[in-house]
Amino acid sequence: MNEKKNKKKQNRLIMRSAILLVLIAAIGYTIYNSATADDVTVLEVGDKAPDFALADLEGNDHKLSDYKGQGVFLNFWGTWCKPCAKEMPAMDRQFDVYKDQGVQVLAVNIAQSDFEVQSFSDQYGLSFPIVIDKTKSVMTAYNIRPLPTTVLINPEGEIERIVTGEMTEEDIKGFMEEIKPE
């Protein structure tokens, strides 16, 4: 009988120790995560836009630095994002107006499959380049949180404005006018 009590006490001690270790590990991870989260640089208006290269649906590379001298309407989006779907046709219409005036649209999809993105593009008949950030490295470099987010880059390669949330066609037109080369 005494052996059973000792065995129960020993099992309880092991269980409590295991729970305590898990709690200590969770607290340590949270502290580490909080400390290293500050390492991400938050981009601001006037900062140089981080360069990147991503492939479009046809396999062509699009490097941000290749657009130097032009305004770049850099839009981060997802097919599941309702505001993204609402603003895409307006972006396409304004792209048709401004592409010959030195404003490029580059739509960066966040880590979805080629099939999903191609289906979405076909559904809306989009003509601007769409690239996929499969590893989310560009999203991280630009510190993108909500979708959609649009980063307006001037012809000198600097961030002119960061727009979060859905844009109207009038907004889009005004923003393209803002980054159009003189």
Side-chain angles (χ1 to χ4, degrees):
M1 181 106 155
N2 238 357
E3 272 185 51
K4 269 189 173 178
K5 277 186 179 178
N6 285 341
K7 189 75 170 159
K8 275 186 174 182
K9 279 184 179 179
Q10 189 178 11
N11 285 346
R12 232 180 290 140
L13 179 66
I14 291 170
M15 185 59 82
R16 287 177 180 162
S17 298
I19 290 170
L20 185 62
L21 281 173
V22 168
L23 284 173
I24 290 170
I27 291 168
Y29 175 77
T30 302
I31 291 170
Y32 171 78
N33 228 14
S34 296
T36 57
D38 295 338
D39 292 347
V40 176
T41 306
V42 177
L43 296 173
E44 296 175 352
V45 170
D47 288 349
K48 187 94 176 120
D51 198 14
F52 62 87
L54 291 173
D56 65 19
L57 296 168
E58 285 79 44
N60 303 314
D61 275 344
H62 291 265
K63 195 171 181 184
L64 182 62
S65 55
D66 291 343
Y67 295 102
K68 191 147 176 81
Q70 300 177 67
V72 179
F73 193 90
L74 186 63
N75 180 263
F76 292 86
W77 66 285
T79 61
W80 47 266
C81 164
K82 297 286 185 235
C84 300
K86 285 174 76 178
E87 70 186 13
M88 284 286 181
M91 280 171 44
D92 198 58
R93 285 189 295 274
Q94 292 305 313
F95 172 64
D96 283 342
V97 172
Y98 284 91
K99 66 183 174 190
D100 295 330
Q101 298 178 48
V103 176
Q104 295 300 316
V105 170
L106 194 54
V108 180
N109 175 270
I110 307 300
Q112 290 187 270
S113 73
D114 289 11
F115 177 76
E116 287 173 296
V117 175
Q118 186 66 62
S119 297
F120 183 93
S121 177
D122 292 346
Q123 177 184 350
Y124 291 97
L126 303 175
S127 60
F128 49 75
I130 297 174
V131 295
I132 302 174
D133 186 9
K134 293 187 185 293
T135 64
K136 297 184 179 181
S137 61
V138 178
M139 181 181 103
T140 301
Y142 279 81
N143 203 25
I144 301 300
R145 289 287 178 254
L147 293 181
T149 292
T150 302
V151 179
L152 303 174
I153 302 169
N154 67 26
E156 291 75 44
E158 298 165 344
I159 296 172
E160 191 76 28
R161 184 189 295 256
I162 300 169
V163 182
T164 56
E166 183 182 338
M167 299 173 287
T168 66
E169 188 150 359
E170 278 304 305
D171 294 336
I172 294 166
K173 181 180 180 179
F175 294 147
M176 289 192 176
E177 208 44 62
E178 207 173 290
I179 58 173
K180 182 172 76 170
E182 293 180 18

